[in-house]
């Protein structure tokens, strides 16, 4: 099966459509992402940790292909299905993951799946089949997510969580997470080597977060509306400006 054929069969996941994940899809790795309609743009809130209007406005929901109306409508339909017909949504997700897992096995690939491409939902203990959640059903897949919910923890070896800094997150909170071996993503105007005495790695080189070293800041560059706001001189606090890096 070709990758294009796999994508045509998927209802919720997308494979090979994100430029950053494509950078990491080498050395026998392949990444699938599920994009929903972020924050409350669908009428349902999928981002409990969304901090302020700036966070919502500058969300990656509006970056890249996300700016297209057809893409936004598709994401809204998926999101509404999650809340209004969850059994159907989970059946679609189960079928998608079966297809993706089988494709990876047939092609000797390590599969990575990011369930929250533009959302922050908790899929832990969400029973799908056989009294198991997603992570129990697919131990051969490495799942990962970014989250702004700092008390969310994963006990699964195949589910990695990267914590994300918002404009309301204090430097002390970031340092506390890092000192405990956690990683925190921070959006910068220009990714530095260090920030507030913490080592920064370039998170835009690929999106395979489970492969990152521990106890660092994952630096991300401003994209979409966040990047445009920087050019206009608008500082919402969501992006760390170049002059504020030390």
């Amino acid at each position: 099966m070709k990758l294009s054929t796999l994508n045509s069969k998927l209802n919720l996941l997308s494979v090979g459509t994100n430029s950053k994940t494509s950078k990491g899809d080498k050395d026998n790795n392949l990444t699938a992402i599920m994009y929903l309609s972020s924050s409350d743009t669908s009428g349902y809130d999928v981002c409990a940790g969304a901090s302020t209007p700036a966070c919502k406005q500058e969300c990656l929901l509006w970056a890249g292909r996300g700016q297209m109306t057809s893409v936004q409508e598709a994401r809204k339909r998926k999101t509404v299905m999650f809340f209004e017909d969850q059994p159907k949504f989970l059946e679609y997700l189960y079928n998608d993951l079966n297809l993706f897992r089988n494709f990876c096995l047939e092609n000797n690939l390590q599969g990575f799946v990011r369930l929250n491409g533009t959302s922050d939902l908790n899929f832990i203990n969400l029973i799908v089949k056989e009294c198991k959640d997603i992570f129990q059903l697919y131990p051969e897949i490495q799942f990962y997510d970014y989250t702004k919910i700092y008390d969310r923890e994963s006990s699964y070896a195949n589910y990695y969580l990267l914590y994300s800094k918002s404009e309301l997150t204090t430097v002390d909170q970031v340092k506390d997470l890092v000192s405990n071996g956690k990683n925190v993503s921070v959006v910068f105007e220009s990714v530095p080597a260090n920030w507030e005495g913490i080592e920064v790695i370039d998170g835009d080189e690929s999106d395979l977060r489970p492969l990152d070293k521990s106890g660092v800041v994952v630096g991300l560059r401003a994209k979409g509306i966040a990047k445009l706001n920087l050019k206009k001189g608008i500082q919402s606090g969501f992006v760390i400006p170049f002059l504020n890096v030390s």
Side-chain angles (χ1 to χ4, degrees), residues 6-227:
L6 171 63
N7 259 318
S8 69
K9 293 177 178 291
L10 299 175
N11 287 292
L12 300 176
L13 300 177
S14 299
V15 183
T17 59
N18 181 289
S19 59
K20 191 167 75 169
T21 58
S22 296
K23 294 177 184 177
D25 287 344
K26 52 189 176 182
D27 299 329
N28 298 320
N29 297 320
L30 185 64
T31 307
I33 302 182
M34 181 165 65
Y35 292 106
L36 300 181
S37 192
S38 75
S39 187
D40 55 3
T41 53
S42 68
Y44 294 97
D45 193 356
V46 299
C47 298
S51 45
T52 67
C55 170
K56 297 179 181 181
Q57 182 195 41
E58 298 185 0
C59 175
L60 283 180
L61 174 74
W62 309 107
R65 293 179 67 249
Q67 299 175 58
M68 299 167 58
T69 301
S70 59
V71 173
Q72 293 297 329
E73 290 304 315
R75 293 177 182 180
K76 286 181 181 179
R77 287 194 296 271
K78 295 176 189 178
T79 309
V80 170
M81 188 196 310
F82 177 85
F83 287 95
E84 297 187 1
D85 194 352
Q86 195 166 99
K88 181 179 179 181
F89 180 96
L90 294 177
E91 185 68 27
Y92 276 157
L93 183 56
Y94 178 76
N95 292 336
D96 278 10
L97 288 170
N98 278 338
L99 286 167
F100 180 70
R101 177 195 58 192
N102 293 341
F103 181 89
C104 289
L105 290 173
E106 290 167 5
N107 292 278
N108 194 30
L109 300 169
Q110 172 59 59
F112 290 79
V113 173
R114 183 175 166 188
L115 294 171
N116 288 292
T118 43
S119 56
D120 198 355
L121 294 171
N122 189 0
F123 287 90
I124 299 173
N125 298 326
L126 185 60
I127 301 304
V128 178
K129 292 275 188 182
E130 304 164 6
C131 298
K132 296 180 179 179
D133 63 22
I134 289 295
F135 315 108
Q136 294 169 314
L137 286 170
Y138 300 97
E140 60 278 273
I141 294 177
Q142 177 62 62
F143 295 88
Y144 69 102
D145 274 322
Y146 293 68
T147 182
K148 288 183 178 176
I149 303 173
Y150 300 155
D151 61 357
R152 183 175 294 168
E153 297 272 354
S154 169
S155 61
Y156 294 116
N158 65 330
Y159 186 36
Y160 176 88
L161 288 171
L162 172 71
Y163 299 96
S164 299
K165 179 188 180 303
S166 76
E167 60 271 40
L168 300 182
T169 308
T170 66
V171 172
D172 284 343
Q173 284 178 297
V174 174
K175 289 183 175 180
D176 184 59
L177 288 165
V178 169
S179 68
N180 284 292
K182 308 294 185 181
N183 288 356
V184 182
S185 68
V186 179
V187 181
F188 295 95
E189 181 177 5
S190 178
V191 176
N194 291 274
W195 177 71
E196 296 290 346
I198 307 169
E199 180 185 356
V200 179
I201 64 171
D202 192 336
D204 283 330
E205 290 185 350
S206 89
D207 198 52
L208 297 182
R209 299 280 69 91
L211 304 184
D212 292 337
K213 63 194 296 187
S214 299
V216 296
V217 160
V218 178
L220 304 172
R221 292 168 182 80
K223 301 172 183 70
I225 292 177
K227 186 175 181 179

